[in-house]
Amino acid sequence: EAHFARLAVAISKYFVCKRAPAVVYEAMECLGGNGYTEDFPLSRLFRQSPLNAIWEGSGNVIVLDVFRAAQKEKEAVNALRHEFAQLLKKDKRLIKAVTAVDDAFKFPLDQQVAEGRRTVELMAKLLQASALFPAEGRSKEIETTEALIYDAFVETRLLDESGRRCDLLGSLPKKHISKSIIDRIVPRK
């Protein structure tokens, strides 16, 4: 687990630092003027969200950390490969993405870093897909909803080659919007 965490934490840190400003902006937009005023904590989060990249290291520094760790700690790379191999056993559609990540580790460090941001983002999305994969042993309703969420994520973040990727928040294609997904994410009383 420690070997897996060595790369997974750095990969996640990269992705969170890049996504936080956009997520906070969307939340602020949802609240309108209330999100902007100092009466709500969102305005502080909006100001501070770009600072994550300073506190945690810039994107380039984190990418360099991922690939340097991969060069030095082969057990960490093997743990990440194992995680992706387990995901690939469950979903063969991800072969292209998993292969691209695997291939990236075969290049010298300078070549890895040249495409590093794209590769680390892809790793982060594969880790997210792995976390979203429906767990067994739950109620049929929950398993079905989790499968819909997983498919929507994978199809729009990892498989879409139409040039219409859905990396923007709130831009899920109509085919993925369902009552069960909405019911799952809406807070219950």
PDB file of all heavy atoms in Angstrom, residues 72-101:
ATOM      1  N   LYS A  72      12.958   5.848  -9.441  1.00  0.00           N
ATOM      2  CA  LYS A  72      13.667   5.337  -8.263  1.00  0.00           C
ATOM      3  C   LYS A  72      12.949   4.179  -7.577  1.00  0.00           C
ATOM      4  O   LYS A  72      13.591   3.326  -6.976  1.00  0.00           O
ATOM      5  CB  LYS A  72      13.851   6.465  -7.239  1.00  0.00           C
ATOM      6  CG  LYS A  72      14.794   7.548  -7.676  1.00  0.00           C
ATOM      7  CD  LYS A  72      14.867   8.628  -6.617  1.00  0.00           C
ATOM      8  CE  LYS A  72      15.702   9.793  -7.100  1.00  0.00           C
ATOM      9  NZ  LYS A  72      15.657  10.926  -6.176  1.00  0.00           N
ATOM     10  N   GLU A  73      11.633   4.200  -7.612  1.00  0.00           N
ATOM     11  CA  GLU A  73      10.848   3.234  -6.835  1.00  0.00           C
ATOM     12  C   GLU A  73      10.010   2.363  -7.774  1.00  0.00           C
ATOM     13  O   GLU A  73       8.826   2.614  -7.986  1.00  0.00           O
ATOM     14  CB  GLU A  73       9.960   3.969  -5.838  1.00  0.00           C
ATOM     15  CG  GLU A  73      10.752   4.832  -4.870  1.00  0.00           C
ATOM     16  CD  GLU A  73       9.861   5.653  -3.942  1.00  0.00           C
ATOM     17  OE1 GLU A  73       8.812   5.125  -3.510  1.00  0.00           O
ATOM     18  OE2 GLU A  73      10.222   6.801  -3.674  1.00  0.00           O
ATOM     19  N   LYS A  74      10.642   1.343  -8.289  1.00  0.00           N
ATOM     20  CA  LYS A  74       9.959   0.447  -9.238  1.00  0.00           C
ATOM     21  C   LYS A  74       8.759  -0.242  -8.590  1.00  0.00           C
ATOM     22  O   LYS A  74       7.779  -0.560  -9.257  1.00  0.00           O
ATOM     23  CB  LYS A  74      10.932  -0.589  -9.804  1.00  0.00           C
ATOM     24  CG  LYS A  74      12.039   0.032 -10.645  1.00  0.00           C
ATOM     25  CD  LYS A  74      11.471   0.800 -11.821  1.00  0.00           C
ATOM     26  CE  LYS A  74      12.569   1.469 -12.610  1.00  0.00           C
ATOM     27  NZ  LYS A  74      12.071   2.428 -13.569  1.00  0.00           N
ATOM     28  N   GLU A  75       8.816  -0.445  -7.259  1.00  0.00           N
ATOM     29  CA  GLU A  75       7.681  -1.071  -6.570  1.00  0.00           C
ATOM     30  C   GLU A  75       6.444  -0.178  -6.657  1.00  0.00           C
ATOM     31  O   GLU A  75       5.321  -0.657  -6.728  1.00  0.00           O
ATOM     32  CB  GLU A  75       8.015  -1.342  -5.092  1.00  0.00           C
ATOM     33  CG  GLU A  75       9.166  -2.294  -4.884  1.00  0.00           C
ATOM     34  CD  GLU A  75      10.510  -1.571  -4.827  1.00  0.00           C
ATOM     35  OE1 GLU A  75      10.550  -0.314  -4.858  1.00  0.00           O
ATOM     36  OE2 GLU A  75      11.533  -2.265  -4.773  1.00  0.00           O
ATOM     37  N   ALA A  76       6.669   1.143  -6.640  1.00  0.00           N
ATOM     38  CA  ALA A  76       5.553   2.089  -6.748  1.00  0.00           C
ATOM     39  C   ALA A  76       4.914   2.002  -8.133  1.00  0.00           C
ATOM     40  O   ALA A  76       3.683   2.001  -8.265  1.00  0.00           O
ATOM     41  CB  ALA A  76       6.022   3.516  -6.456  1.00  0.00           C
ATOM     42  N   VAL A  77       5.742   1.910  -9.155  1.00  0.00           N
ATOM     43  CA  VAL A  77       5.225   1.765 -10.520  1.00  0.00           C
ATOM     44  C   VAL A  77       4.465   0.447 -10.645  1.00  0.00           C
ATOM     45  O   VAL A  77       3.374   0.402 -11.225  1.00  0.00           O
ATOM     46  CB  VAL A  77       6.365   1.832 -11.562  1.00  0.00           C
ATOM     47  CG1 VAL A  77       5.849   1.524 -12.959  1.00  0.00           C
ATOM     48  CG2 VAL A  77       7.040   3.190 -11.536  1.00  0.00           C
ATOM     49  N   ASN A  78       5.028  -0.620 -10.082  1.00  0.00           N
ATOM     50  CA  ASN A  78       4.351  -1.921 -10.149  1.00  0.00           C
ATOM     51  C   ASN A  78       3.012  -1.892  -9.416  1.00  0.00           C
ATOM     52  O   ASN A  78       2.049  -2.504  -9.876  1.00  0.00           O
ATOM     53  CB  ASN A  78       5.252  -3.018  -9.585  1.00  0.00           C
ATOM     54  CG  ASN A  78       6.439  -3.295 -10.496  1.00  0.00           C
ATOM     55  OD1 ASN A  78       6.404  -3.012 -11.686  1.00  0.00           O
ATOM     56  ND2 ASN A  78       7.503  -3.831  -9.924  1.00  0.00           N
ATOM     57  N   ALA A  79       2.950  -1.178  -8.297  1.00  0.00           N
ATOM     58  CA  ALA A  79       1.685  -1.066  -7.556  1.00  0.00           C
ATOM     59  C   ALA A  79       0.641  -0.309  -8.373  1.00  0.00           C
ATOM     60  O   ALA A  79      -0.538  -0.690  -8.410  1.00  0.00           O
ATOM     61  CB  ALA A  79       1.922  -0.382  -6.216  1.00  0.00           C
ATOM     62  N   LEU A  80       1.069   0.758  -9.047  1.00  0.00           N
ATOM     63  CA  LEU A  80       0.153   1.526  -9.895  1.00  0.00           C
ATOM     64  C   LEU A  80      -0.295   0.675 -11.087  1.00  0.00           C
ATOM     65  O   LEU A  80      -1.478   0.650 -11.430  1.00  0.00           O
ATOM     66  CB  LEU A  80       0.835   2.814 -10.366  1.00  0.00           C
ATOM     67  CG  LEU A  80      -0.057   3.852 -11.012  1.00  0.00           C
ATOM     68  CD1 LEU A  80      -1.045   4.429  -9.994  1.00  0.00           C
ATOM     69  CD2 LEU A  80       0.796   4.979 -11.591  1.00  0.00           C
ATOM     70  N   ARG A  81       0.653  -0.031 -11.685  1.00  0.00           N
ATOM     71  CA  ARG A  81       0.308  -0.921 -12.803  1.00  0.00           C
ATOM     72  C   ARG A  81      -0.694  -1.987 -12.362  1.00  0.00           C
ATOM     73  O   ARG A  81      -1.609  -2.333 -13.109  1.00  0.00           O
ATOM     74  CB  ARG A  81       1.569  -1.589 -13.358  1.00  0.00           C
ATOM     75  CG  ARG A  81       2.391  -0.697 -14.234  1.00  0.00           C
ATOM     76  CD  ARG A  81       3.580  -1.437 -14.778  1.00  0.00           C
ATOM     77  NE  ARG A  81       4.253  -0.660 -15.791  1.00  0.00           N
ATOM     78  CZ  ARG A  81       5.565  -0.611 -15.931  1.00  0.00           C
ATOM     79  NH1 ARG A  81       6.348  -1.301 -15.134  1.00  0.00           N
ATOM     80  NH2 ARG A  81       6.088   0.126 -16.886  1.00  0.00           N
ATOM     81  N   HIS A  82      -0.479  -2.506 -11.159  1.00  0.00           N
ATOM     82  CA  HIS A  82      -1.405  -3.518 -10.626  1.00  0.00           C
ATOM     83  C   HIS A  82      -2.817  -2.937 -10.488  1.00  0.00           C
ATOM     84  O   HIS A  82      -3.799  -3.593 -10.860  1.00  0.00           O
ATOM     85  CB  HIS A  82      -0.903  -4.046  -9.283  1.00  0.00           C
ATOM     86  CG  HIS A  82      -1.831  -5.023  -8.655  1.00  0.00           C
ATOM     87  ND1 HIS A  82      -1.970  -6.323  -9.102  1.00  0.00           N
ATOM     88  CD2 HIS A  82      -2.699  -4.894  -7.622  1.00  0.00           C
ATOM     89  CE1 HIS A  82      -2.872  -6.945  -8.375  1.00  0.00           C
ATOM     90  NE2 HIS A  82      -3.335  -6.105  -7.464  1.00  0.00           N
ATOM     91  N   GLU A  83      -2.920  -1.719  -9.965  1.00  0.00           N
ATOM     92  CA  GLU A  83      -4.228  -1.062  -9.813  1.00  0.00           C
ATOM     93  C   GLU A  83      -4.912  -0.914 -11.173  1.00  0.00           C
ATOM     94  O   GLU A  83      -6.093  -1.217 -11.323  1.00  0.00           O
ATOM     95  CB  GLU A  83      -4.048   0.316  -9.167  1.00  0.00           C
ATOM     96  CG  GLU A  83      -5.325   1.080  -8.976  1.00  0.00           C
ATOM     97  CD  GLU A  83      -6.186   0.552  -7.835  1.00  0.00           C
ATOM     98  OE1 GLU A  83      -5.676  -0.208  -6.988  1.00  0.00           O
ATOM     99  OE2 GLU A  83      -7.380   0.903  -7.800  1.00  0.00           O
ATOM    100  N   PHE A  84      -4.149  -0.477 -12.156  1.00  0.00           N
ATOM    101  CA  PHE A  84      -4.716  -0.287 -13.491  1.00  0.00           C
ATOM    102  C   PHE A  84      -5.038  -1.629 -14.158  1.00  0.00           C
ATOM    103  O   PHE A  84      -6.013  -1.744 -14.905  1.00  0.00           O
ATOM    104  CB  PHE A  84      -3.793   0.553 -14.362  1.00  0.00           C
ATOM    105  CG  PHE A  84      -3.635   1.976 -13.881  1.00  0.00           C
ATOM    106  CD1 PHE A  84      -2.518   2.714 -14.223  1.00  0.00           C
ATOM    107  CD2 PHE A  84      -4.598   2.589 -13.086  1.00  0.00           C
ATOM    108  CE1 PHE A  84      -2.369   4.029 -13.798  1.00  0.00           C
ATOM    109  CE2 PHE A  84      -4.457   3.892 -12.641  1.00  0.00           C
ATOM    110  CZ  PHE A  84      -3.338   4.614 -13.009  1.00  0.00           C
ATOM    111  N   ALA A  85      -4.236  -2.654 -13.891  1.00  0.00           N
ATOM    112  CA  ALA A  85      -4.506  -3.981 -14.449  1.00  0.00           C
ATOM    113  C   ALA A  85      -5.811  -4.538 -13.872  1.00  0.00           C
ATOM    114  O   ALA A  85      -6.602  -5.167 -14.596  1.00  0.00           O
ATOM    115  CB  ALA A  85      -3.347  -4.928 -14.157  1.00  0.00           C
ATOM    116  N   GLN A  86      -6.042  -4.303 -12.574  1.00  0.00           N
ATOM    117  CA  GLN A  86      -7.288  -4.748 -11.958  1.00  0.00           C
ATOM    118  C   GLN A  86      -8.488  -4.035 -12.594  1.00  0.00           C
ATOM    119  O   GLN A  86      -9.524  -4.643 -12.842  1.00  0.00           O
ATOM    120  CB  GLN A  86      -7.269  -4.494 -10.439  1.00  0.00           C
ATOM    121  CG  GLN A  86      -6.238  -5.314  -9.698  1.00  0.00           C
ATOM    122  CD  GLN A  86      -6.415  -6.806  -9.930  1.00  0.00           C
ATOM    123  OE1 GLN A  86      -7.498  -7.344  -9.790  1.00  0.00           O
ATOM    124  NE2 GLN A  86      -5.339  -7.477 -10.318  1.00  0.00           N
ATOM    125  N   LEU A  87      -8.322  -2.742 -12.851  1.00  0.00           N
ATOM    126  CA  LEU A  87      -9.383  -1.977 -13.497  1.00  0.00           C
ATOM    127  C   LEU A  87      -9.617  -2.496 -14.917  1.00  0.00           C
ATOM    128  O   LEU A  87     -10.756  -2.653 -15.352  1.00  0.00           O
ATOM    129  CB  LEU A  87      -9.029  -0.487 -13.514  1.00  0.00           C
ATOM    130  CG  LEU A  87     -10.036   0.451 -14.165  1.00  0.00           C
ATOM    131  CD1 LEU A  87     -11.393   0.389 -13.458  1.00  0.00           C
ATOM    132  CD2 LEU A  87      -9.499   1.882 -14.169  1.00  0.00           C
ATOM    133  N   LEU A  88      -8.540  -2.781 -15.617  1.00  0.00           N
ATOM    134  CA  LEU A  88      -8.643  -3.267 -16.991  1.00  0.00           C
ATOM    135  C   LEU A  88      -9.342  -4.625 -17.061  1.00  0.00           C
ATOM    136  O   LEU A  88     -10.074  -4.899 -18.016  1.00  0.00           O
ATOM    137  CB  LEU A  88      -7.247  -3.348 -17.616  1.00  0.00           C
ATOM    138  CG  LEU A  88      -7.159  -3.481 -19.119  1.00  0.00           C
ATOM    139  CD1 LEU A  88      -7.936  -2.375 -19.813  1.00  0.00           C
ATOM    140  CD2 LEU A  88      -5.710  -3.457 -19.553  1.00  0.00           C
ATOM    141  N   LYS A  89      -9.168  -5.462 -16.041  1.00  0.00           N
ATOM    142  CA  LYS A  89      -9.877  -6.744 -15.994  1.00  0.00           C
ATOM    143  C   LYS A  89     -11.387  -6.519 -15.943  1.00  0.00           C
ATOM    144  O   LYS A  89     -12.155  -7.301 -16.481  1.00  0.00           O
ATOM    145  CB  LYS A  89      -9.464  -7.542 -14.755  1.00  0.00           C
ATOM    146  CG  LYS A  89      -8.134  -8.216 -14.870  1.00  0.00           C
ATOM    147  CD  LYS A  89      -7.847  -8.992 -13.596  1.00  0.00           C
ATOM    148  CE  LYS A  89      -6.451  -9.554 -13.595  1.00  0.00           C
ATOM    149  NZ  LYS A  89      -6.148 -10.229 -12.324  1.00  0.00           N
ATOM    150  N   LYS A  90     -11.800  -5.436 -15.284  1.00  0.00           N
ATOM    151  CA  LYS A  90     -13.223  -5.135 -15.134  1.00  0.00           C
ATOM    152  C   LYS A  90     -13.782  -4.374 -16.337  1.00  0.00           C
ATOM    153  O   LYS A  90     -14.972  -4.418 -16.602  1.00  0.00           O
ATOM    154  CB  LYS A  90     -13.443  -4.290 -13.872  1.00  0.00           C
ATOM    155  CG  LYS A  90     -13.009  -4.970 -12.599  1.00  0.00           C
ATOM    156  CD  LYS A  90     -13.095  -3.974 -11.449  1.00  0.00           C
ATOM    157  CE  LYS A  90     -12.376  -4.452 -10.219  1.00  0.00           C
ATOM    158  NZ  LYS A  90     -12.291  -3.408  -9.197  1.00  0.00           N
ATOM    159  N   ASP A  91     -12.911  -3.622 -17.034  1.00  0.00           N
ATOM    160  CA  ASP A  91     -13.393  -2.779 -18.135  1.00  0.00           C
ATOM    161  C   ASP A  91     -12.346  -2.721 -19.245  1.00  0.00           C
ATOM    162  O   ASP A  91     -11.402  -1.931 -19.195  1.00  0.00           O
ATOM    163  CB  ASP A  91     -13.691  -1.370 -17.615  1.00  0.00           C
ATOM    164  CG  ASP A  91     -14.420  -0.513 -18.637  1.00  0.00           C
ATOM    165  OD1 ASP A  91     -14.447  -0.871 -19.833  1.00  0.00           O
ATOM    166  OD2 ASP A  91     -14.956   0.537 -18.243  1.00  0.00           O
ATOM    167  N   LYS A  92     -12.517  -3.565 -20.226  1.00  0.00           N
ATOM    168  CA  LYS A  92     -11.573  -3.670 -21.349  1.00  0.00           C
ATOM    169  C   LYS A  92     -11.541  -2.406 -22.215  1.00  0.00           C
ATOM    170  O   LYS A  92     -10.610  -2.207 -22.985  1.00  0.00           O
ATOM    171  CB  LYS A  92     -11.920  -4.876 -22.226  1.00  0.00           C
ATOM    172  CG  LYS A  92     -11.901  -6.191 -21.495  1.00  0.00           C
ATOM    173  CD  LYS A  92     -10.502  -6.613 -21.173  1.00  0.00           C
ATOM    174  CE  LYS A  92     -10.503  -8.004 -20.559  1.00  0.00           C
ATOM    175  NZ  LYS A  92      -9.529  -8.171 -19.541  1.00  0.00           N
ATOM    176  N   ARG A  93     -12.537  -1.555 -22.083  1.00  0.00           N
ATOM    177  CA  ARG A  93     -12.568  -0.325 -22.887  1.00  0.00           C
ATOM    178  C   ARG A  93     -11.392   0.590 -22.569  1.00  0.00           C
ATOM    179  O   ARG A  93     -11.051   1.460 -23.363  1.00  0.00           O
ATOM    180  CB  ARG A  93     -13.857   0.452 -22.642  1.00  0.00           C
ATOM    181  CG  ARG A  93     -15.124  -0.282 -23.004  1.00  0.00           C
ATOM    182  CD  ARG A  93     -16.354   0.502 -22.629  1.00  0.00           C
ATOM    183  NE  ARG A  93     -16.424   0.719 -21.188  1.00  0.00           N
ATOM    184  CZ  ARG A  93     -17.295   1.521 -20.584  1.00  0.00           C
ATOM    185  NH1 ARG A  93     -18.171   2.195 -21.294  1.00  0.00           N
ATOM    186  NH2 ARG A  93     -17.297   1.659 -19.280  1.00  0.00           N
ATOM    187  N   LEU A  94     -10.753   0.382 -21.434  1.00  0.00           N
ATOM    188  CA  LEU A  94      -9.694   1.295 -20.984  1.00  0.00           C
ATOM    189  C   LEU A  94      -8.307   0.881 -21.456  1.00  0.00           C
ATOM    190  O   LEU A  94      -7.316   1.470 -21.041  1.00  0.00           O
ATOM    191  CB  LEU A  94      -9.724   1.398 -19.457  1.00  0.00           C
ATOM    192  CG  LEU A  94     -11.029   1.943 -18.890  1.00  0.00           C
ATOM    193  CD1 LEU A  94     -11.028   1.888 -17.375  1.00  0.00           C
ATOM    194  CD2 LEU A  94     -11.277   3.358 -19.380  1.00  0.00           C
ATOM    195  N   ILE A  95      -8.231  -0.101 -22.348  1.00  0.00           N
ATOM    196  CA  ILE A  95      -6.937  -0.620 -22.800  1.00  0.00           C
ATOM    197  C   ILE A  95      -6.030   0.476 -23.353  1.00  0.00           C
ATOM    198  O   ILE A  95      -4.839   0.520 -23.078  1.00  0.00           O
ATOM    199  CB  ILE A  95      -7.102  -1.787 -23.813  1.00  0.00           C
ATOM    200  CG1 ILE A  95      -5.761  -2.407 -24.169  1.00  0.00           C
ATOM    201  CG2 ILE A  95      -7.818  -1.326 -25.071  1.00  0.00           C
ATOM    202  CD1 ILE A  95      -5.131  -3.207 -23.080  1.00  0.00           C
ATOM    203  N   LYS A  96      -6.593   1.373 -24.130  1.00  0.00           N
ATOM    204  CA  LYS A  96      -5.799   2.433 -24.751  1.00  0.00           C
ATOM    205  C   LYS A  96      -5.197   3.364 -23.691  1.00  0.00           C
ATOM    206  O   LYS A  96      -4.011   3.707 -23.755  1.00  0.00           O
ATOM    207  CB  LYS A  96      -6.690   3.231 -25.708  1.00  0.00           C
ATOM    208  CG  LYS A  96      -5.973   4.037 -26.728  1.00  0.00           C
ATOM    209  CD  LYS A  96      -7.002   4.629 -27.692  1.00  0.00           C
ATOM    210  CE  LYS A  96      -6.382   5.364 -28.814  1.00  0.00           C
ATOM    211  NZ  LYS A  96      -7.396   5.936 -29.708  1.00  0.00           N
ATOM    212  N   ALA A  97      -5.990   3.748 -22.717  1.00  0.00           N
ATOM    213  CA  ALA A  97      -5.520   4.648 -21.655  1.00  0.00           C
ATOM    214  C   ALA A  97      -4.477   3.969 -20.776  1.00  0.00           C
ATOM    215  O   ALA A  97      -3.435   4.553 -20.462  1.00  0.00           O
ATOM    216  CB  ALA A  97      -6.699   5.127 -20.808  1.00  0.00           C
ATOM    217  N   VAL A  98      -4.740   2.722 -20.390  1.00  0.00           N
ATOM    218  CA  VAL A  98      -3.793   1.994 -19.534  1.00  0.00           C
ATOM    219  C   VAL A  98      -2.486   1.747 -20.283  1.00  0.00           C
ATOM    220  O   VAL A  98      -1.394   1.903 -19.718  1.00  0.00           O
ATOM    221  CB  VAL A  98      -4.420   0.669 -19.029  1.00  0.00           C
ATOM    222  CG1 VAL A  98      -3.386  -0.187 -18.325  1.00  0.00           C
ATOM    223  CG2 VAL A  98      -5.595   0.970 -18.099  1.00  0.00           C
ATOM    224  N   THR A  99      -2.560   1.416 -21.548  1.00  0.00           N
ATOM    225  CA  THR A  99      -1.358   1.202 -22.356  1.00  0.00           C
ATOM    226  C   THR A  99      -0.556   2.489 -22.482  1.00  0.00           C
ATOM    227  O   THR A  99       0.680   2.467 -22.407  1.00  0.00           O
ATOM    228  CB  THR A  99      -1.736   0.655 -23.748  1.00  0.00           C
ATOM    229  OG1 THR A  99      -2.456  -0.565 -23.575  1.00  0.00           O
ATOM    230  CG2 THR A  99      -0.511   0.411 -24.606  1.00  0.00           C
ATOM    231  N   ALA A 100      -1.225   3.610 -22.672  1.00  0.00           N
ATOM    232  CA  ALA A 100      -0.524   4.899 -22.790  1.00  0.00           C
ATOM    233  C   ALA A 100       0.257   5.215 -21.514  1.00  0.00           C
ATOM    234  O   ALA A 100       1.401   5.679 -21.577  1.00  0.00           O
ATOM    235  CB  ALA A 100      -1.518   6.021 -23.085  1.00  0.00           C
ATOM    236  N   VAL A 101      -0.337   4.937 -20.368  1.00  0.00           N
ATOM    237  CA  VAL A 101       0.357   5.165 -19.094  1.00  0.00           C
ATOM    238  C   VAL A 101       1.529   4.208 -18.964  1.00  0.00           C
ATOM    239  O   VAL A 101       2.641   4.609 -18.614  1.00  0.00           O
ATOM    240  CB  VAL A 101      -0.611   5.006 -17.899  1.00  0.00           C
ATOM    241  CG1 VAL A 101       0.142   4.943 -16.587  1.00  0.00           C
ATOM    242  CG2 VAL A 101      -1.613   6.150 -17.888  1.00  0.00           C
TER     243      VAL A 101
END
